[in-house]
Amino acid sequence: MKILHTADWHVGKVLKGRGRLDEHRAVLRELVGIARSEDVDAVIVAGDVFDTSAPTPEAQALVMPALMALREEGRQVVVLAGNHDNPYLLDVYRPVLGALGIQVLGTFRRPDQGGVITFKARSGEPVRLAVLPFLSHRHVVRAAEALTDTAADNNRNYAERFGRLTAALTADFTADTVNLVSTHGTLPGGRFGGGEREAQSIFSYYFEATAFPSTTQYAALGHLHRRQQMPGPCPIWYSGSPLAVDFGEERNTPGALLVSVEPGSPAVVREVAITSARALATVTGTLDELEAMAGDLADTWLRVIVAEKPRAGLADIVRELLPGALQVDLDERFRPTQARRRDSGQGAASRGPRDLFRDYLGSTGRDDPRLSALFDRLHDEVTS
């Protein structure tokens, strides 16, 4: 059978105040085109369908038709929640999309209650797919343990309990079925794409590749935005995001994965590039140098660093030369001395809540890595 593995769509993502719905529409259309041209039997969307837990109607209006188009010709479509998604919203979709043949899992389910999806591929193979949506640290490690145990204890607890859940879901894998696992999270050693949510990508959210049994023929992962294979007892891959979600990912190659697999054999994986979204780039130069680059950057979102002395209207001039400029900064060499000193001092006005909270803990004698980590998780859950 053949599978299209994709993840980290982040539909609804705004880049420096600029909406990207048109780009997402084109990217989803390209994914549907790949599913059709490659005649895949199943599509796995391994989390972060939306960029926020409260997706706009416009974002939802892009995702739903795309999922239905992927379902055409009897393809199996499975969608699980990532750390950006609202798991309870996806569970609200579950009965409606399930009636259309689209399997959606927002929260963890027992094997006999939807955590293991069984079906026969159009090519005839019986399939068992174990699904673990993103597991919040507060659901896996109890609050009391998070406060009383050491950070290392909490890391081990999360990884150990993740492994137990995976073992329960994969217990019935057999040699005569196609055995698949899909989840959303962080494996040690994975290379970050640049736009991942920091507080939900740190050590306390790591799980081990050994959680996947050797009977697994393919593990489809989401969360890290860089497409990559991970070492382990079976083929383990992150599909990466089909578009660069912010300037930290400008060197990534957006895409998806095509997976061919049959009972008793490891999967064969082929990478597929997705080219519909606009590229992202950081450019530096004088106004003359930037003007010389303009012709090659017409379809690129830009972060521009201007190597000129500051003057009124400089940013507007840059945007006239480069209409794709979403962020315009002054080269550090040309900043006033006072501004450079203020930047190097990291004043409170330029610091985020996490830094300010750590400053507060330090100034009051309560500096504790466990409190800092807990604040990071709570802040991320409230603002996501």
Side-chain angles (χ1 to χ4, degrees), residues 218-265:
Y218 184 72
L221 273 56
H223 184 53
L224 298 187
H225 295 177
R226 186 189 297 270
R227 192 166 62 257
Q228 59 194 291
Q229 183 176 14
M230 302 298 298
C234 64
I236 305 170
W237 280 80
Y238 285 98
S239 68
S241 177
L243 81 170
V245 301
D246 66 22
F247 286 104
E249 301 184 8
E250 60 187 67
R251 292 184 176 85
N252 290 357
T253 304
L257 295 169
L258 286 167
V259 183
S260 298
V261 61
E262 59 185 31
S265 301

Side-chain angles (χ1 to χ4, degrees), residues 17-39:
R18 187 71 62 95
R20 306 183 72 187
L21 288 178
D22 287 344
E23 291 179 79
H24 270 114
R25 182 178 293 105
V27 165
L28 296 181
R29 187 181 299 122
E30 188 170 355
L31 283 170
V32 170
I34 293 170
R36 290 170 176 165
S37 64
E38 295 288 342
D39 195 27

Side-chain angles (χ1 to χ4, degrees), residues 84-309:
H84 281 249
D85 297 314
N86 182 334
Y88 305 108
L89 177 62
L90 264 62
D91 278 346
V92 168
Y93 297 148
R94 180 176 169 82
V96 177
L97 293 179
L100 300 174
I102 301 168
Q103 303 285 342
V104 179
L105 282 85
T107 54
F108 176 82
R109 291 178 175 269
R110 296 170 60 89
D112 58 348
Q113 296 176 359
V116 177
I117 299 170
T118 59
F119 61 92
K120 180 169 284 190
R122 293 183 306 163
S123 49
E125 300 94 339
V127 181
R128 299 186 70 86
L129 169 58
V131 183
L132 291 89
F134 175 73
L135 298 173
S136 172
H137 193 278
R138 63 191 174 97
H139 291 144
V140 177
V141 178
R142 293 180 301 175
E145 293 172 322
L147 287 173
T148 59
D149 292 350
T150 66
D153 289 335
N154 293 332
N155 297 350
R156 284 193 295 269
N157 287 342
Y158 185 91
E160 189 269 334
R161 293 175 189 184
F162 182 96
R164 284 163 54 189
L165 294 175
T166 307
L169 294 176
T170 59
D172 291 333
F173 280 4
T174 62
D176 58 354
T177 58
V178 173
N179 301 317
L180 310 171
V181 178
S182 185
T183 190
H184 190 94
T186 310
L187 278 175
R191 293 174 296 154
F192 284 66
E196 296 86 356
R197 187 169 284 169
E198 180 180 350
Q200 293 174 340
S201 307
I202 55 178
F203 286 105
S204 56
Y205 277 90
Y206 280 11
F207 55 87
E208 298 294 336
T210 51
F212 306 121
S214 58
T215 49
T216 306
Q217 288 155 279
Y218 184 72
L221 273 56
H223 184 53
L224 298 187
H225 295 177
R226 186 189 297 270
R227 192 166 62 257
Q228 59 194 291
Q229 183 176 14
M230 302 298 298
C234 64
I236 305 170
W237 280 80
Y238 285 98
S239 68
S241 177
L243 81 170
V245 301
D246 66 22
F247 286 104
E249 301 184 8
E250 60 187 67
R251 292 184 176 85
N252 290 357
T253 304
L257 295 169
L258 286 167
V259 183
S260 298
V261 61
E262 59 185 31
S265 301
V268 177
V269 180
R270 176 160 57 96
E271 301 181 49
V272 181
I274 302 291
T275 60
S276 301
R278 294 176 69 164
L280 277 62
T282 299
V283 294
T284 303
T286 65
L287 289 177
D288 288 341
E289 290 169 338
L290 295 173
E291 184 175 15
M293 302 176 194
D296 296 328
L297 299 172
D299 296 322
T300 304
W301 293 128
L302 300 170
R303 177 170 56 184
V304 183
I305 301 173
V306 191
E308 297 269 355
K309 291 182 179 180

